[in-house]
Amino acid sequence: NATFRSLQITVMLAFVCAAAVASAVAVASGSSPISRRTVLQAGVAVGATPLLYSSARPAVAAPAALRVPSFALGSLQASRIIQGHWQLAGGHGRGPTVNALANMKAHFDTGITTLDTADIYGPSELRVGEFVKSEPNAVACTKFCCFRGLDAIDRAEVRARVKQQCARLQVQRLPLVAFFWADYSVRRYVEVAKMLNELREEGLIDNIGLTNFDLPRLREFVDAGIPVVSNQVQLSALDSRALQSGMAHYCAKNGVKLLAFGTVGAGLLSEKYLGAPPPDSSQIAAGGYSLSMYTDTASRFGPWSLVQELLRTMADVAKAHPGATIANVAQRYVLQASPAVGALIVGVRNTEHIAENVRTFGFELSGPEMEAISRVVAKRSGPQGDVWDLERGVRFA
C-alpha cells in the first residue's frame, strides 16, 4: 500500500545517509571510510551502475535556436531546468545504459547547466564531480541530509561531511547545500542549519537551501537569520501543497526560490497515460521508486477519471502550441503558478527528453489556459496539508 511504499523509500534513504555519515566521521577520525561498494551491495542502490544510466531510446537533439534560460539563485546563475541525478542511487527502473558523463554533457549543451545531487544518492556526487571538473561552468547543487543520530550531530560532523562532499564534487566550496531534516520532533534543525551557515561564512559553502521543509519550519529558519535561498518541493498539477499552504506566497515575498520536482509525475502527466489505465503493480515495480511515489500522489489527487480530465485539458492546451506535449504544458503550469518558482528539477536518466524539456521554454500559457487547468486542479481531494506532511507521517481525517 501507499504507506508501505513511502516507508520503503524513507528506510532506503535513511540507510544510505547513515552510511554517508559514518564514512564522513571515519574520515574525520583518521579511520578508513566505509566503501560505497559496501553500501551498494547492501541493497540500498540495487541496480546502480556508477558510470551508467538507464536509457530507453537514442539521444534526441534539442532545437538549435532554443536554450534553457537561467535565473538568480542566491549568488549563483542556475538554469531553469536542473538535471536531477538521483537515479544514480539505483532503484529507478532498468533498461539499456548510457554513459552518465555524456548524458550530463548533452543536457549541459542545451543550457541545462545546473545539476542536482545529494549525499544520499550513492555514487551520484562522485559522477557529478567528475563532470564539474571537465565543465567548470557547471553548477553542482547537493544536499545535507539528516536522518539518524539527530540528537548527536555536532560541528565536527557537519564540517567532516561538508568537506567530504567538496572532495566528491571536486570543488573548493559547495555552490548550494540543500538541508533536509527527517524528524521535526527533534528540534535541532535550526541549530544544525546555523552550523552550516558558519561554514558558509567561512567559505566552504556558497548558498544554503532547504529540501522538503514546510512553511512553519521555513519561517523558523528565516527568523533565525539563516540566509535560505531555496526550498526543493514536490510541485505539480497533481500536488499543490506548496501553493495551498501559503509557502509560495511567503517565498515570493521573502526572496526564497522554489525548486520544483515531480512536475510530470514520472511521466503520468504525458500522452502515455492519456486514455489509458493507471500503472499496474508490474509497471510500478519496473518503474521504480519515482513511479511508485507519484502514483500515490495521483491517487491522493482524486480518482483516475479526474487525472484523465486533467490530461485531456492539458492535451487541448498543447494543441495551441506547435510541437508542445502534455509534459510541456504540465511544466509551464508549474513555472507560471507562482513567481517564487525558480526552476524545475527533472530526472535525466537518459537523453530521450532533452528536446522536449527545452521546448518548454518556447512558449507560455495564456491566462485562459492557466485557468482551464486550474479549474480541474480545483476539483482535487488532495494531497492535503503542507509540503512533505504525508511523507513525514502526518495523517488527515
Side-chain angles (χ1 to χ4, degrees):
N1 59 32
T3 300
F4 180 70
R5 284 196 292 271
S6 178
L7 180 60
Q8 283 182 311
I9 295 170
T10 300
V11 170
M12 182 274 294
L13 293 176
F15 188 89
V16 183
C17 186
V21 172
S23 182
V25 173
V27 170
S29 64
S31 303
S32 298
I34 293 175
S35 164
R36 289 177 185 81
R37 177 175 294 179
T38 301
V39 177
L40 296 178
Q41 290 177 341
V44 179
V46 174
T49 307
L51 288 172
L52 302 174
Y53 267 121
S54 170
S55 174
R57 299 180 188 174
V60 177
L66 191 61
R67 288 176 60 83
V68 173
S70 63
F71 73 107
L73 178 59
S75 65
L76 308 173
Q77 277 297 120
S79 50
R80 295 208 72 191
I81 286 183
I82 296 175
Q83 301 183 32
H85 288 289
W86 56 84
Q87 288 93 345
L88 281 172
H92 293 274
R94 298 175 180 174
T97 54
V98 62
N99 183 281
L101 301 186
N103 183 41
M104 294 173 192
K105 174 64 173 173
H107 285 83
F108 179 88
D109 286 345
T110 66
I112 308 176
T113 58
T114 307
L115 298 83
D116 177 75
T117 182
D119 51 1
I120 61 170
Y121 294 167
S124 179
E125 280 187 327
L126 291 170
R127 302 290 82 82
V128 170
E130 291 176 22
F131 181 72
V132 169
K133 184 178 181 179
S134 68
E135 286 286 355
N137 291 325
V139 179
C141 302
T142 191
K143 301 179 185 68
F144 186 92
C145 298
C146 300
F147 284 91
R148 295 182 175 182
L150 303 182
D151 285 319
I153 296 174
D154 59 14
R155 284 178 173 81
E157 178 184 325
V158 172
R159 177 180 293 275
R161 290 177 58 185
V162 167
K163 291 186 73 172
Q164 187 179 60
Q165 289 181 278
C166 287
R168 288 173 178 166
L169 291 169
Q170 303 193 48
V171 295
Q172 295 298 312
R173 50 198 294 156
L174 300 178
L176 174 68
V177 174
F179 177 45
F180 177 80
W181 189 264
D183 187 353
Y184 289 158
S185 70
V186 183
R187 296 185 59 82
R188 297 190 64 231
Y189 42 85
V190 171
E191 178 186 353
V192 174
K194 287 182 177 180
M195 297 176 192
L196 288 171
N197 194 42
E198 289 172 1
L199 296 183
R200 183 192 65 83
E201 293 172 343
E202 182 180 318
L204 281 176
I205 296 171
D206 282 327
N207 298 276
I208 294 175
L210 305 175
T211 298
N212 291 323
F213 277 97
D214 61 13
L215 180 55
R217 254 52 62 164
L218 173 58
R219 289 181 185 273
E220 284 188 56
F221 288 120
V222 173
D223 291 345
I226 307 298
V228 177
V229 302
S230 62
N231 191 15
Q232 285 192 25
V233 298
Q234 184 176 331
L235 177 57
S236 71
L238 295 172
D239 188 342
S240 300
R241 289 178 290 179
L243 301 174
Q244 70 196 23
S245 65
M247 176 175 289
H249 176 76
Y250 177 85
C251 287
K253 186 176 178 181
N254 290 275
V256 178
K257 291 298 184 181
L258 293 177
L259 307 181
F261 64 87
T263 53
V264 298
L268 292 178
L269 296 181
S270 72
E271 282 75 8
K272 178 178 180 179
Y273 289 99
L274 178 62
D280 60 28
S281 57
S282 63
Q283 291 171 318
I284 291 173
Y289 299 120
S290 292
L291 184 58
S292 175
M293 180 171 69
Y294 295 124
T295 299
D296 288 344
T297 297
S299 68
R300 292 171 178 138
F301 177 77
W304 189 245
S305 59
L306 184 60
V307 176
Q308 287 296 307
E309 183 180 351
L310 178 62
L311 289 171
R312 289 192 298 270
T313 301
M314 289 183 166
D316 288 342
V317 170
K319 292 174 184 175
H321 303 280
T325 64
I326 290 174
N328 290 140
V329 173
Q331 290 179 332
R332 284 250 46 110
Y333 179 75
V334 173
L335 286 167
Q336 296 178 219
S338 167
V341 177
L344 313 178
I345 303 176
V346 177
V348 292
R349 71 175 67 190
N350 55 55
T351 57
E352 178 182 348
H353 296 289
I354 291 180
E356 183 178 24
N357 286 327
V358 173
R359 194 179 300 119
T360 293
F361 296 90
F363 70 100
E364 292 187 358
L365 301 182
S366 67
E369 288 170 339
M370 288 289 291
E371 291 168 6
I373 298 170
S374 294
R375 281 195 294 271
V376 181
V377 172
K379 299 178 183 180
R380 71 190 183 281
S381 53
Q384 299 180 52
D386 205 333
V387 168
W388 221 242
D389 275 353
L390 291 165
E391 293 81 356
R392 292 179 181 276
V394 177
R395 293 294 174 257
F396 300 91

